[in-house]
């Protein structure tokens, strides 16, 4: 936008939305640092009277540490898979001229529209038959597969922006696909790689449906399942529950603080051209 | 040179020539194979399987048994099923109607470059980072009539039991969906709004068009394609709303918020009727795919190619 008078209406709207977003987040944090008695007495909107980290300690003693570890394992593996298979895919989509490549790209575009719910029944069937039921591997594979379309789209967009002149120059030097990929494409799409890593990590960290259906025991629980069970088990311990919600957000918020640019720019690209 | 020419030798002989004609350093299809194979195995094959399973009867143990059209005839005689389709559509449409104007306004506003906007945008973005599970648990707690906000704000909530009646529960589901996903769509619009050439606005200003006219005559038309993309994502997201229903309403009160995605889960993983679950899932896919295909066609997304190379 060019310089104009401040737009008071838009300013007002933005403050209203800030309240809509901020108020629940405030309650979330403030309740998680109160004792149950205090929270029960003063209600959710009040200021906390006594600050305590007791709820957090309690959560960890009831198994949240284990859920955390499982979620970290799933997330790291999903990101690793994505970073190995997506860059060559996007490189091909951008550089290769052929019907097959176009078809592949369309397949992934369509993949954006395949909801995880749609395949959860056969996934349960396949994973059970493969002996991976209640095993983290059985959660990792489908989770990674389902973050591929979005990652492919984002990274393809990034690689498209590499000037063809650079490719021409390398081609004149007689560089092989491998060299072009290693020395030109990867270094120039570093930002895109960071974006898809962050994006797929977020997907994996927050995943719920696959773990819900494909695991059952406590030793394979991830955080989201832990939250879900917490709600059904101790529905009344509000501060403890909300402390658990905060715990599930902390790593994500840290990533957001340090990699906000990366994530945001990548996601912006989705709306694209 | 020997007179017996093996096929491999011929291929080896011809390879450099082929390379010259196909453009040097262009990767072959093999590069895309790992990702494609992986995706086909875990997304496309299950999609085919879901179609197969929808014609079988399977309780999760043993082997699925062929059952013809049983699942389908049962489903279309099932009032809960038909109602769930209607509820899915209702919640999706309401979601699009609520989120689209909100995210366009917020996105265009956030595309400005003032400092306070950057800070606010950073805060707006937070709900998107939370898992749907965390969001649902949070709102479930906030809306609890006895321990939540309604107990403190009677003037706003009346008796406070929003989730106890159909209209209230649907309202909550739409609101929570909007609370979580508006930031994402805002972000898409923000990116698109920044890409609009400034020249257009300058020209409009010279012609004496005010902010409001500029918004309707320049910004909105320029955001057309973005709106299409964003709406597809909203529709697919809306049709597959699941976590929020599972945690906030369990499909209740009664079956008042039992939308198709949740009904599918109930049928398959609570009643162990995997055939019926697959049939519902397939219906969902068909609807979502048709919508996406239409949009891909309309927006010309599939023609995304390097604009410089021009094929």
């Amino acid at each position: 936008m060019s310089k104009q008078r401040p737009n008071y209406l838009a300013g007002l709207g933005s403050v209203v939305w800030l309240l809509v977003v901020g108020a629940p987040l405030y309650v979330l944090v403030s309740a998680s640092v109160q004792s149950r008695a205090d929270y029960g007495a003063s209600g959710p909107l009040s200021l906390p009277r006594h600050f305590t980290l007791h709820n957090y300690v309690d959560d960890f003693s009831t198994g949240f540490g284990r859920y955390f570890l499982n979620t970290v394992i799933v997330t790291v593996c999903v990101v690793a898979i994505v970073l190995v298979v997506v860059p060559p895919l996007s490189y091909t989509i951008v550089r290769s001229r052929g019907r097959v490549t176009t078809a592949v790209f369309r397949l992934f575009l369509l993949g954006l529209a395949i909801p995880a719910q749609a395949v959860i029944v056969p996934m349960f069937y396949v994973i059970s038959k493969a002996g991976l039921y209640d095993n983290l591997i059985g959660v990792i594979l489908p989770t990674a597969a389902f973050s591929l379309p979005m990652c492919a789209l984002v990274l393809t967009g990034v690689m498209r922006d590499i000037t063809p002149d650079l490719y021409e120059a390398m081609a004149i030097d007689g560089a092989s696909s491998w060299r072009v990929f290693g020395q030109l494409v990867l270094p120039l799409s570093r930002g895109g790689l960071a974006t898809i890593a962050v994006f797929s990590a977020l997907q994996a960290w927050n995943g719920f449906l696959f773990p819900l259906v494909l695991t059952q025991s406590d030793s394979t629980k991830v955080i989201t399942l832990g939250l879900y069970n917490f709600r059904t088990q101790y529905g009344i311990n509000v501060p403890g529950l909300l402390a658990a919600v905060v715990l599930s957000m902390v790593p994500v918020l840290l990533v957001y603080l340090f990699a906000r640019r990366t994530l945001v720019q990548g996601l912006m690209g989705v709306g694209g051209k | 040179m020997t007179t017996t020419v093996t096929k491999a030798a011929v291929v080896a002989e011809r390879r450099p020539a082929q390379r010259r004609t196909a453009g040097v350093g262009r990767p072959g299809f093999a590069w895309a194979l790992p990702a494609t194979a992986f995706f086909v195995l875990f997304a496309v094959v299950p999609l085919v399987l879901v179609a197969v399973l929808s014609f079988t009867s399977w309780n999760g143990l043993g082997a699925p048994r062929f059952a013809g059209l049983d699942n389908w005839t049962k489903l279309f005689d099932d009032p809960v099923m038909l109602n769930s389709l209607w509820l899915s559509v209702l919640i999706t449409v309401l979601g699009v109607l609520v989120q689209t104007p909100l995210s366009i306004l917020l996105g265009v506003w956030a595309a400005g470059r003032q400092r306070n906007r950057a800070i606010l945008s950073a805060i707006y973005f937070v709900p998107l980072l939370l898992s749907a599970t965390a969001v649902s648990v949070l709102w479930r707690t906030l809306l609890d009539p006895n321990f939540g906000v309604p107990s403190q704000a009677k003037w706003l909530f009346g008796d406070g039991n929003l989730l106890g009646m159909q209209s209230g529960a649907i309202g909550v589901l739409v609101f929570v969906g909007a609370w979580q996903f508006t930031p994402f769509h805002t972000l898409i619009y923000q990116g698109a709004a920044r890409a609009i050439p400034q020249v257009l606005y300058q020209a409009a200003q010279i012609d004496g068009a005010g902010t409001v006219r500029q918004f309707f005559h320049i910004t909105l038309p320029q955001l057309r394609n973005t709106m299409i993309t964003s709406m597809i994502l909203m529709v697919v997201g809306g049709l597959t709303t699941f976590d929020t229903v599972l945690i906030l309403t369990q499909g209740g009160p009664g079956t008042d918020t039992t939308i198709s995605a949740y009904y599918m889960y109930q049928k398959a993983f609570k009643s162990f009727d995997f055939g019926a679950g697959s049939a519902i899932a397939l219906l969902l896919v068909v609807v979502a795919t048709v919508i996406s295909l239409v949009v891909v066609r309309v927006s010309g997304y599939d023609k995304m190619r390097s604009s410089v190379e021009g094929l």
Side-chain angles (χ1 to χ4, degrees):
Chain A
M1 299 277 157
S2 48
K3 281 210 174 54
Q4 304 160 334
R5 289 173 290 103
N7 189 337
Y8 292 114
L9 200 63
L12 182 71
S14 64
V15 171
V16 169
W17 188 248
L18 181 67
L19 283 176
V20 172
V21 171
L25 295 175
Y26 162 76
V27 174
L28 171 67
V29 176
S30 96
S32 74
V33 295
Q34 297 182 55
S35 70
R36 280 177 69 175
D38 276 357
Y39 178 84
S42 59
L45 294 172
S46 331
L47 288 168
R49 270 180 292 190
H50 310 288
F51 179 88
T52 168
L53 286 178
H54 192 74
N55 301 309
Y56 290 90
V57 178
D58 270 2
D59 283 345
F60 263 99
S61 62
T62 52
F64 251 79
R66 178 74 214 223
Y67 307 157
F68 240 89
L69 182 66
N70 288 338
T71 313
V72 169
I73 293 171
V74 169
T75 305
V76 168
C77 294
V78 166
V79 172
I81 293 176
V82 163
L83 285 183
V84 168
V85 300
V86 173
L89 170 75
S90 292
Y91 174 47
T92 317
I93 291 173
V94 172
R95 289 296 292 165
S96 167
R97 291 170 166 171
R99 283 174 184 283
V100 184
T101 324
T102 314
V104 165
F105 189 53
R106 282 191 190 176
L107 174 77
F108 278 97
L109 275 180
L110 272 186
L112 277 178
I114 302 178
Q117 269 91 353
V119 301
I120 194 67
V121 174
M123 196 70 82
F124 172 73
Y125 178 75
V126 170
I127 296 286
S128 304
K129 282 275 174 282
L132 292 173
Y133 180 72
D134 206 21
N135 180 330
L136 286 181
I137 298 172
V139 174
I140 290 165
L141 296 175
T143 306
F146 271 78
S147 58
L148 288 185
M150 190 64 131
C151 292
L153 194 66
V154 168
L155 197 63
T156 304
V158 170
M159 286 185 183
R160 241 177 247 292
D161 291 341
I162 298 173
T163 333
D165 300 358
L166 292 172
Y167 288 115
E168 296 306 319
M170 287 198 87
I172 288 167
D173 293 344
S176 66
S177 291
W178 281 103
R179 263 195 59 197
V180 174
F181 183 67
Q183 296 187 349
L184 174 74
V185 178
L186 283 185
L188 282 181
S189 45
R190 214 175 297 149
L193 293 175
T195 301
I196 63 170
V198 170
F199 179 82
S200 55
L202 194 64
Q203 291 280 311
W205 187 270
N206 289 339
F208 176 67
L209 186 65
F210 289 130
L212 175 75
V213 169
L214 303 174
T215 65
Q216 59 178 15
S217 43
D218 215 44
S219 59
T220 51
K221 262 197 187 40
V222 292
I223 291 183
T224 45
L225 271 190
L227 282 180
Y228 173 60
N229 280 12
F230 196 126
R231 220 205 67 69
T232 42
Q233 279 172 320
Y234 327 85
I236 203 82
N237 178 6
V238 174
L241 178 63
L242 293 183
V245 172
V246 173
L247 280 177
S248 77
M249 298 162 48
V250 167
V252 180
L253 284 179
L254 285 178
V255 170
Y256 181 51
L257 280 180
F258 291 108
R260 186 167 155 255
R261 268 253 129 78
T262 310
L263 183 69
V264 168
Q265 277 171 345
L267 288 176
M268 266 189 188
V270 176
K273 316 280 182 276
Chain B
M1 284 288 272
T2 49
T3 44
T4 47
V5 183
T6 59
K7 198 174 160 194
V10 173
V11 172
E13 196 76 47
R14 276 188 17 208
R15 199 175 288 145
Q18 263 185 348
R19 250 233 220 115
R20 261 199 300 278
T21 49
V24 181
R26 286 190 183 275
F29 173 68
W31 284 74
L33 209 54
T36 313
F38 186 55
F39 186 68
V40 165
L41 197 63
F42 282 98
V44 181
V45 168
L47 208 56
V48 174
L49 267 178
V50 93
V52 173
L53 283 173
S54 72
F55 296 102
T56 65
S57 146
W58 184 46
N59 62 3
L61 302 164
R65 209 166 33 76
F66 182 73
L69 289 170
D70 276 10
N71 294 318
W72 295 95
T73 48
K74 264 190 281 186
L75 274 189
F76 284 107
D77 288 339
D78 179 355
V80 178
M81 176 64 215
L82 298 175
N83 193 35
S84 81
L85 277 175
W86 150 244
L87 285 171
S88 285
V89 171
L90 178 70
I91 284 180
T92 304
V93 170
L94 286 175
V96 171
L97 289 179
V98 170
Q99 290 176 47
T100 301
L102 256 178
S103 48
I104 289 181
L105 286 173
L106 283 168
V108 169
W109 175 83
R113 303 225 176 247
Q114 291 92 322
R115 178 130 189 79
N116 62 349
R117 297 189 183 191
I119 294 167
L120 282 178
S121 315
I123 299 172
Y124 290 161
F125 197 64
V126 170
L128 181 61
L129 301 170
L130 307 187
S131 55
T133 328
V135 170
S136 310
V137 166
L138 171 62
W139 280 101
R140 171 96 204 186
T141 311
L142 285 173
L143 293 168
D144 188 289
N146 305 314
F147 301 97
V149 177
S151 65
Q152 264 186 300
K154 288 241 187 292
W155 49 271
L156 190 62
F157 290 91
D159 74 340
N161 197 1
L162 277 179
L163 294 172
M165 53 186 181
Q166 186 178 24
S167 55
I170 288 177
V172 167
L173 288 175
V174 171
F175 174 81
V176 171
W179 190 81
Q180 197 187 359
F181 292 111
T182 301
F184 174 69
H185 297 283
T186 299
L187 198 68
I188 294 182
Y189 283 119
Q190 186 183 347
R194 281 208 178 138
I196 300 174
Q198 286 299 313
V199 180
L200 296 176
Y201 291 107
Q202 286 153 4
Q205 266 182 322
I206 291 169
D207 290 345
T211 315
V212 176
R213 277 198 63 184
Q214 284 182 20
F215 178 79
F216 281 102
H217 290 271
I218 300 172
T219 312
L220 279 188
Q222 289 280 329
L223 291 178
R224 203 184 64 102
N225 281 348
T226 313
M227 279 161 90
I228 292 169
T229 311
S230 152
M231 280 181 191
I232 283 200
L233 295 170
M234 281 180 197
V235 167
V236 175
L239 287 176
T240 56
T241 306
F242 171 75
D243 311 29
T244 36
V245 176
L246 177 70
I247 293 169
L248 279 163
T249 70
Q250 286 92 49
T255 54
D256 282 351
T257 55
T258 300
I259 62 171
S260 299
Y262 182 71
Y263 197 47
M264 187 259 321
Y265 171 80
Q266 269 192 318
K267 274 280 186 217
F269 298 100
K270 293 281 173 256
S271 322
F272 300 109
D273 185 349
F274 287 92
S278 300
I280 304 173
L282 192 60
L283 269 182
L284 274 177
V285 177
V286 169
V287 175
T289 312
V290 166
I291 293 172
S292 306
L293 268 179
V294 167
V295 176
V296 167
R297 272 271 166 267
V298 171
S299 66
Y301 227 170
D302 53 345
K303 303 202 175 38
M304 246 176 75
R305 292 198 168 277
S306 163
S307 48
V308 198
E309 268 197 280
L311 261 159

